Each structure stands twice: as structure tokens, then as C-alpha cells.
Amino acid sequence: MASNIVTTEWKKNLLFKSDNPNGAQVLMDTSFANGGNEVGASPKALMLSSLAGCSGLDVVMIAEKMRTSFDDLKIVVEANLTDEHPKYYDKVHVKYFFEGKDLDQEKLTKVVSLSIDKYCGVMEMFRQFATVTTEIIFNS
């Protein structure tokens, strides 16, 4: 069984630095309104970035294996945060924006479906606590 270990250090005020098993680091902070300095990303927003990044990695790798291409990919994640504590995302909508000439929409739709339904572990984690919907937009 694989495991990951991250270490998160308090730097000052409400700023934290967290490492990644590969050595990369990320800063986390909160808004001015909540007493932070907005130096780093908010932990909850990082969850959304992780979802987009996980699925995005899948999409790029699967598209390459399926010999289909695109010029640009943007993934926008919109999430609804509950009002009551502990606040969490209960609804999440993921939009995939593909740009390019002669896009094979059928193949790219299959690529995204494979990420959503089979490969993206972060997507599966989100499904444990949120309703997740997706949308694909070509050459918007």
C-alpha cells in the first residue's frame, strides 16, 4: 500500500509552508478578512486546484495515448461552500475548455470520461462528500 507524507510548518501569523513528497513546496494562508496576509493559497482553494490538476494530468496523458491533440486546455472548477461549520464543498462543477484546430470531440469526450470515471483519485475523493458535475467546452 502506497502512502504519502507531507510536513506543514507554521511560518508566522496564519502562514504555513507545506512540502510535497517530491520536494515541491506550497504556501497556505487566509484572507485579510480572516486575519491572514493573502501570501499563499487557501487550503480549500488548493483542494479545487488539486482536483483540476489531477484530472488535467490524466487528460493530457490519455489524449497522448489515444493520439488526439489540442492546442490548449483550461479547467475551471466552481464549488459551493456550505454555510455551517465545518464548511465544506457540497457541490462542485468542473469545466474543461479545449482549444485547437480539428479537435476530435468524440475522442476528447472519451478522454475526459476516462479521467472522471476511472483514473482521477481526487475526483473520487470529492465524490465522497460532494455532488460533482462536469462539462466540456470546445473552442469557446
Side-chain angles (χ1 to χ4, degrees), residues 20-86:
N20 186 288
N22 71 7
Q25 297 180 340
V26 64
L27 293 176
M28 294 179 286
D29 198 358
T30 191
S31 66
F32 292 122
N34 288 323
N37 292 312
E38 298 183 2
V39 174
S42 78
K44 286 185 183 99
L46 279 173
M47 290 179 63
L48 302 179
S49 294
S50 293
L51 176 57
C54 177
S55 189
L57 290 168
D58 290 342
V59 166
V60 169
M61 290 188 290
I62 296 166
E64 188 175 284
K65 287 180 183 176
M66 290 181 70
R67 293 188 170 98
T68 190
S69 63
F70 46 86
D71 296 330
D72 193 32
L73 169 63
K74 180 171 63 174
I75 301 170
V76 176
V77 182
E78 299 174 33
N80 182 68
L81 196 59
T82 61
D83 293 327
E84 300 294 320
H85 288 282

Side-chain angles (χ1 to χ4, degrees), residues 118-134:
K118 186 172 182 180
Y119 292 110
C120 182
V122 178
M123 183 83 66
E124 185 57 32
M125 286 184 226
F126 265 84
R127 283 192 193 101
Q128 302 303 308
F129 57 85
T131 300
V132 180
T133 56
T134 58

